[in-house]
Amino acid sequence: MLRVCVAAAAFLSSITLAEPAQAQVTAPPQPLPADVLADEVDPAVAAFLRANVVVNGPVTGGLAIDFPPAFYESRLILLGESHGFAAPQVLDLELLAHLNERIGLTDYLAEVDPVQAEMLNAYLSSGDEAILDRVFDHWDRTGAQWGNTAFEAKVRGVRALNEDLLAERRIRFIGIDTIQDWLLLREWLADRGTPVDAAAWDDADVRGKAALASNALGEPADPMVARLADLLGRIGAGATREAAIFDTYAYAVRSGEIGNRPAYGLWGLYHVMQGPINDTLPFAARVTRSDLPTATSVTSIVILALDSAVHVPVPLPTGIQRMRLTQFNVDGPFVKVQGSDTLRAASDPDSIVVFNPGAADSPIQPGDFTRVRTSVGQNFELDPDLPSSAYSQYFGVFRGSDWAPPRD
């Protein structure tokens, strides 16, 4: 199947790489070796997990959510997923609504850039579908997995939630990712009356565009513009994506835009890991190793796929073809997460469940539910001296999820 959809490179890049990956396959991918795929249910671990459930419900929604009290004291809560499945979008919206009700959380720390977030906030306020279309058009055009109806429906769900909330309790997007849509940035600058020279823009590389946009911003007039200006300066200096994400978050905390308020967001799996992976530091790991006031109050939740279908955009000479695949769950044949069979034993079909592996007398071993092996991309090479809880404090699984379908 088109070399298994160019080895599902877009899918694997979302879970294992800090930087975007180009789809390059020289031979059809092969299933992982039998000894890697071999797994045995650990009855004691499965029983422990079933006894320590914090989220549970149908894969289509209507979840029961009840974390331990310490969870609600977190200042940064991150949900990590593999993009392209529908179920994480369901969990994301319900967890966001739960946190808003339980602790008054309003800052949704999104895997989008500052201008994309500003546009999404404009949609939340106005309900103007043209604004939403403009943000999603970029992902549709470039083949990003964010270009799907499940994500779009979630944004509409956030707007519906806000309509029932007092103004001070309404959720807002805060974009801390590096610039994804440079054309949108240019349009936004023109709309605010600070256009850039079109010819210079077209001739510029990323650093040059960052400099042009920074000059056009002038003196920052509000916190979002100040955060954008800081990010553009870092891009102009050659910051990597992961460094830019961390530094932009740090700026929002230190400047008081977020300050000591709790923030929450859905990110690709790599970004939420709190330990080193493949000798690199993900966003969450950078936070926990920083001098930020939030460094000691970060909580990561990892949600994994079984029995589910994923949306994989495949680059072809004729354009992007979006495909629905079922071979990329965490129990093989191309991706294997340590302990996947135990996750199956601890969960029910067609459900979303999140466990608290840090409960008393935990039998969880290093690498359980965090160690990833693939035959189509990089593995997750972890620090063997660190327990799984050093990477993520909660683990979950969804079963029977459909793909997150592409937009028309």
Side-chain angles (χ1 to χ4, degrees):
M1 182 194 293
L2 192 64
R3 299 188 185 277
V4 190
C5 298
V6 196
F11 167 65
L12 266 299
S13 69
S14 73
I15 68 168
T16 61
L17 297 178
E19 302 293 334
Q22 298 299 316
Q24 296 178 348
V25 173
T26 58
Q30 299 298 311
L32 286 162
D35 62 326
V36 174
L37 292 173
D39 202 352
E40 293 185 5
V41 175
D42 186 321
V45 174
F48 171 83
L49 293 176
R50 280 193 176 272
N52 291 282
V53 170
V54 293
V55 178
N56 195 26
V59 74
T60 52
L63 305 173
I65 304 175
D66 187 19
F67 286 86
F71 171 83
Y72 298 101
E73 299 175 4
S74 304
R75 297 296 90 184
L76 176 61
I77 301 171
L78 299 171
L79 174 62
E81 61 141 7
S82 300
H83 301 327
F85 297 95
Q89 300 292 340
V90 172
L91 174 58
D92 183 37
L93 180 59
E94 295 202 19
L95 184 53
L96 178 61
H98 174 76
L99 291 169
N100 177 268
E101 179 181 12
R102 182 73 177 260
I103 62 173
L105 183 142
T106 59
D107 296 325
Y108 185 70
L109 203 66
E111 192 176 333
V112 297
D113 70 41
V115 175
Q116 289 172 319
E118 188 79 350
M119 297 288 285
L120 290 172
N121 288 332
Y123 166 76
L124 295 183
S125 298
S126 68
D128 185 346
E129 289 290 325
I131 297 175
L132 194 59
D133 282 340
R134 176 60 190 86
V135 176
F136 275 83
D137 280 348
H138 167 73
W139 294 317
D140 294 339
R141 184 174 65 253
T142 59
Q145 284 165 307
W146 278 141
N148 67 71
T149 59
F151 183 17
E152 190 176 40
K154 181 186 70 184
V155 177
R156 293 194 180 99
V158 176
R159 172 171 161 75
L161 176 63
N162 275 354
E163 290 191 313
D164 292 330
L165 297 173
L166 297 174
E168 63 270 18
R169 290 292 293 269
R170 289 175 187 157
I171 293 161
R172 62 169 182 161
F173 284 80
I174 297 182
I176 63 167
D177 207 341
T178 194
I179 301 299
Q180 295 186 23
D181 190 345
W182 287 95
L183 179 58
L184 180 62
L185 171 59
R186 176 177 158 184
E187 293 171 358
W188 179 81
L189 288 168
D191 288 343
R192 71 190 293 270
T194 56
V196 298
D197 180 83
W201 182 274
D202 291 341
D203 289 340
D205 60 10
V206 167
R207 290 191 182 190
K209 285 181 170 63
L212 289 168
S214 183
N215 290 335
L217 281 178
E219 189 68 26
D222 59 58
M224 175 270 170
V225 175
R227 171 168 35 93
L228 174 60
D230 184 76
L231 171 61
L232 290 170
R234 297 181 189 282
I235 294 172
T240 65
R241 182 187 178 196
E242 213 67 16
I245 292 169
F246 165 74
D247 286 331
T248 307
Y249 167 73
Y251 184 89
V253 171
R254 291 184 173 123
S255 69
E257 186 185 10
I258 294 177
N260 195 45
R261 293 194 311 274
Y264 161 78
L266 172 69
W267 287 76
L269 189 60
Y270 171 85
H271 303 290
V272 313
M273 291 294 200
Q274 293 179 22
I277 295 177
N278 303 335
D279 297 322
T280 65
L281 287 181
F283 164 49
R286 292 168 187 255
V287 177
T288 61
R289 287 159 172 75
S290 73
D291 61 355
L292 289 172
T294 55
T296 59
S297 56
V298 182
T299 297
S300 297
I301 307 166
V302 166
I303 189 80
L304 303 170
L306 288 172
D307 313 322
S308 297
V310 67
H311 166 186
V312 177
V314 181
L316 299 175
T318 55
I320 301 295
Q321 181 176 352
R322 297 176 180 272
M323 306 190 74
R324 180 182 184 275
L325 300 178
T326 58
Q327 304 102 317
F328 292 91
N329 291 280
V330 298
D331 59 346
F334 303 116
V335 180
K336 182 68 172 68
V337 170
Q338 181 173 315
S340 61
D341 281 13
T342 299
L343 283 178
R344 183 185 298 281
S347 59
D348 297 319
D350 303 317
S351 70
I352 298 173
V353 60
V354 177
F355 308 103
N356 177 12
D361 301 319
S362 174
I364 307 300
Q365 299 299 308
D368 283 353
F369 320 125
T370 51
R371 188 168 185 259
V372 182
R373 291 290 177 268
T374 85
S375 63
V376 288
Q378 291 183 358
N379 298 321
F380 266 22
E381 299 295 347
L382 311 180
D383 184 335
D385 295 327
L386 293 178
S388 292
S389 59
Y391 283 86
S392 182
Q393 288 69 55
Y394 295 90
F395 303 97
V397 63
F398 56 90
R399 295 176 58 184
S401 172
D402 202 357
W403 68 332
R407 301 173 76 237
D408 294 332

